[in-house]
Amino acid sequence: MIRITRSLSLDERALSETFLRASGPGGQNVNKVETAVQLRLSLDRADLPPPLRARLERLAGRRLTQEGEIVITAREHRSQERNRAAALAVLTDLIRRAAVAPKRRIATKPTLGSQERRLKAKARRSGLKQVRTARIED
């Protein structure tokens, strides 16, 4: 189990890793070793609460596949282990952000002062536009 928050853990069986060759720095190592990591989280197997899953799908954006998997690719580092850690860090950060439920907005009435200021501004604007109009007399 991978601990995300105090009350939320992720089952490791929902994760799968594939390794591929990364471009970039590394010298001859780039051509020989598969250092890039592609981490996949199956949302069906992750067993997340429905509201958390919905927020996670929204946050994932292009990383979410049609099959319901979140794909994270890490290739910044020269070693496979550091790329694995980086991919896992990105995934846990994404889930932590999705775990924070947005605060519900409570509708409030505008204050009397704000209503009066709005109406005064409208009247001022209306007066300005009336002055600009050309009056044509027949």
Side-chain angles (χ1 to χ4, degrees), residues 88-109:
L88 192 59
V90 169
L91 179 67
T92 54
D93 181 56
L94 191 67
I95 297 172
R96 275 194 194 107
R97 285 190 292 147
V100 177
K103 286 189 175 182
R104 246 182 102 209
R105 185 189 178 281
I106 299 171
T108 58
K109 287 185 177 179

Side-chain angles (χ1 to χ4, degrees), residues 1-2 9 22 61 63 65 74 79 96 116 119-120 126 128 131:
M1 297 294 266
I2 300 168
S9 294
R63 296 177 182 154
T65 65
S79 74
R96 275 194 194 107
E116 288 174 358
L119 292 175
K120 279 183 186 175
S126 172
L128 181 69
V131 169

